[in-house]
Amino acid sequence: MIRLTIDDREITVPEGTMVVDAAQELGIDVPIYCYHQALGPLGACRICLVQVEKMPKLVTACTTAVQEGMVVHTRGSAVDKGRQGVLEFLLINHPLDCPVCDKGGECFLQDYTFQYGSAAGRYDEPKIHKLKDAAINEFIIIDQERCVLCQRCVRFMGEYVGEEQLLLEGRGVETVVSTVSHQPMDSQFSGNVIDLCPVGALLSIPYRYKARPWNLERAESVCPHCPVACTTSVTSREGHVIRVEGRPIPGHDWGWLCDRGRFGYDFGYVEDRLLNAWLDGEITSAAESTRTIGSWLNDTLEQHGGDSVAFLVGGQQTMEEAYQIRRFADEVVGTSKVAVSRSVKGYLPLGLNGTFEDLDRADTIVYLGQDPYDAVPVVHLKVRDRYRDNPGLKVIGIGAYDLTRSTVPGDAFVLEPGEEAAFLAYTLAKVAASNPIIARLGEELGDFSPTFKGAKSEQEVETLGRQLLESEHLVLLWDGKDPHMESVLLALRGLREDVTAVLPTFGPANWRGFERAGIAVDYDRLEAFVEEAIQGKIHLLFSIGADLLRDYPDRERAKAALAAIDRVVSVGLFFPEQRELYHAVIPGAGWSEVDGTYTNMEGRMQVAKATVQPPGQSRPVRTYLGSWAHALKKSFVLEPEWDPFDHNAGDLIAKDALPEVQSVPKPARPAMKDGALRLVGTALVMEGGMPSEILQPRIPKYPGRISLADASRLGIGEPGGELGLRGQQGMISVMVAVDERIPQGVLVLPYGVVGSPLNQLGDGAVVEAVSLEEVSLR
Amino acid sequence: MDKKDSQVVDVSAQAMNIGTGVTGMAAGFAVTLKNMVRSVPGRNTVTIQYPEQRKPYSRRFRGVHALTLRPNGQLKCTACFLCATACPAECITIEASSVTDDAIEKVASRYEIDLSRCIFCGFCVDACPEEAIVMTREYDLATHNRVDELQYDISALTRREEIQAYGAGYRPHMQYPLVESYLPTEISAKPQDDID
């Protein structure tokens, strides 16, 4: 630890701390443009000049490490004169167009010029003109004249994300920030450069000219799109959400967002948003729909009893809403049939659940079945952050295709689809056969042996096994697809002495919160509900924020279930798929319209505040629950607020005891004919999720991905093409693109995406693929 | 004050005193009579025949607003929202949009002043960094319908005859001419008897 004095106040900080950070700890504000704690020192902008006693000249606080006995002055005539000079140079070619600049009002160049700059410039020559208003991708506009060349954006993309898409071009006064080869940026993390830019050079296109910063309202919120639940700040004006920014939490989170989270906020305003109640395909008044649904509920309860009513919930709502739904089912209706609509079958016991702090300390990270970049992008960024700190980080991808990326290089084990659990058990049995549980798992697998696409020797499998056993801090990211993986993970945890943390990358986004609110999320519940519905045991269904046809792995079965129910009521932001199956569709309120708590994949509860009023006739779920209870002439008190937070565990859900290890069966391998493709489901946060007009240009036309070999065989070139899939339901067409990471014979399709027939054909199904030209010839 | 200290006045006794009433009335009528004599038509008349007759008033009068134009006829406003921010009555509504013109980045695609809420304080004119909004001397705003006729949009704020008829009123730098812009219609010569 090092002691130093800043502005006559003493502070003790660890060695290697920069003066600017030490000053910040004391609450002393040193102006900065180029420095960012996540990116490290650069010293490009020179605005952070401070005076250090016994040093001949002013020094930059962001590149000067603290030293014992240092005496720093952050203000004073010399410092102010230095900063004034720096600002005069920064402003020489600045257009001074603050009145038309979206940053004006929250701009560091403006603020520091007010604080330190001179009132008038002395530069009389004409200003150099550069590119203004040039889009660098669908969401971001660059104004090179306003740029102060701090290089935050360039360094963030190149060094932090590892996708070099921005660079400095030109020399001297002609230097500008530009994209590589003048191609649009396509990174998932491109929007972060808007938050990083200290001046008005990189601005958001959807937010452009929407407001000035001083007439905005900001509310602390949480991103609703994936289980990472990044902390965000939602900006609204006149009751309309117009911007989402990252909300850094010092010492815990940098506040990075992916583009889905940053720009996908307009789902509340798209054309498809439900604004009216619909009864049997006709628009009706809110009062009429409430009366009708209340009478349906009344009739069903009288004729068939409470157990004939079921609730299907989507897992996107707040924990408070989930709690109210469960209470309504218990107390008013008297049914135990509350199921969560899900796409994957796996469940992760809370005791195994790790946190993002585990990622920060990990020495080995294993991806199980899912590339986090696709499903939970910010987790990929956290892994990359760890890789930057610790280049020795071992990353292992185990799945049906190569899950690793060049930004975080790793070792990929490419297996037959759906064999991750068996492979992991097989690997553990190789290195820890003496353990009775592992030995039992090994026996159950029988003569299973994995086949690798791409050469992997038995020795490499053994090395993997030893890594899994011996690594000091193991983190596994699990896609939740194979329910047997739970047992393998439990067995692995039992073998290891060091930390074993598992992070579930699967949705729905708030499933852990629903569990906390008392709604069991296991897949068996959903399966039991579908089975009972098909048997005609359910007469009234409330589908709240759920879309069974979109989520359930077997579309035909879901359709049969919904068709067999007498009356189906849907509450949501949008029409569910095949709305003719629903008897009433009433508009719900969602994220940014209701206050509430969300739980993320760490099991961490975070509060999101409501910013705007629900549009049209849409109302929060609790309003509907209250009115239905009223129709039954029962009292349902909504007021006593439930506090989801635990007094002992804080914002994390308290861990419970681990369950027993179950069995892991030997996976069955379907026969593959020549030219057949095996389907592999994956979660894609950009393509999937709620509709957004802003994101539309970025969402690829081709949700499917196939190997280069299959593509050339089927005649699919760049950028992609249409493929016919012949399954049990006849011919289904799907748009596919080529992905080099996918092995031959595999077709990767996303869950819950329009144009992805995954749940029509079934995850893991073998389908015959034909090029569509061939079909039209027949 | 204590109750017993207060003086009790017998009002009814005073009312019975006829002398007090008569002198009071006489004093009142004397004022009336004096003003009646003073305002014999043609001498010190205060009342005028409005609207045919009008009184001189300040050149800096804060009347209805006008938006100024650039030499090429485009709106000078860049939709910086400073006027709407400064407005204490919150009567200014602006929507901005971008234009493809190289010289201009941002323009107001909608600019509305709700004159039924406006208090004519002139803060919007003070706040404008570009003299894009000024006030005219127009003051007679009586309408039949305050919902529609007092909502002034861009065309009303630039292309009304009254702007020409009344001329420019208050703006912060009145000693200087408008810079690189002009009022939508040329300002007519002002009456000589106006007060500065």
Side-chain angles (χ1 to χ4, degrees), chain A residues 253-266:
Chain A
D253 197 284
W254 292 118
W256 311 130
L257 297 181
C258 69
D259 285 354
R260 164 55 85 171
R262 184 178 300 270
F263 300 110
Y265 57 80
D266 66 329

Side-chain angles (χ1 to χ4, degrees), chain A residues 77-154:
Chain A
S77 58
V79 173
D80 285 1
K81 187 163 180 259
R83 288 180 189 165
Q84 186 178 348
V86 171
L87 276 167
E88 193 171 359
F89 275 112
L90 287 179
L91 291 173
I92 273 182
N93 283 310
H94 189 86
L96 302 174
D97 53 355
C98 304
V100 298
C101 176
D102 273 346
K103 197 84 173 182
E106 52 184 12
C107 170
F108 287 106
L109 193 56
Q110 219 179 21
D111 292 351
Y112 295 152
T113 304
F114 272 116
Q115 210 172 344
Y116 305 105
S118 61
R122 290 175 291 170
Y123 188 72
D124 290 334
E125 313 306 317
K127 299 203 176 211
I128 294 173
H129 290 291
K130 297 173 184 169
L131 203 58
K132 282 180 89 74
D133 295 350
I136 57 172
N137 70 9
E138 301 87 341
F139 314 126
I140 306 164
I141 212 162
I142 193 167
D143 187 318
Q144 293 172 342
E145 288 185 359
R146 293 179 190 147
C147 177
V148 294
L149 299 174
C150 71
Q151 300 173 44
R152 270 191 189 186
C153 52
V154 176

Side-chain angles (χ1 to χ4, degrees), chain A residues 274-279 281-290 293 575 584-587 617-618 624:
Chain A
L274 261 181
L275 298 176
N276 287 296
W278 293 67
L279 278 180
E282 303 276 333
I283 287 188
T284 181
S285 69
E288 178 62 31
S289 68
T290 303
I293 294 165
F575 271 117
V585 181
I586 50 178
Q617 296 284 323
S618 55
Y624 292 122

Side-chain angles (χ1 to χ4, degrees), chain A residues 361-381:
Chain A
R361 300 199 199 103
D363 69 338
T364 306
I365 296 176
V366 183
Y367 306 155
L368 295 173
Q370 176 80 54
D371 178 2
Y373 189 93
D374 293 330
V376 281
V378 174
V379 169
H380 171 84
L381 216 51

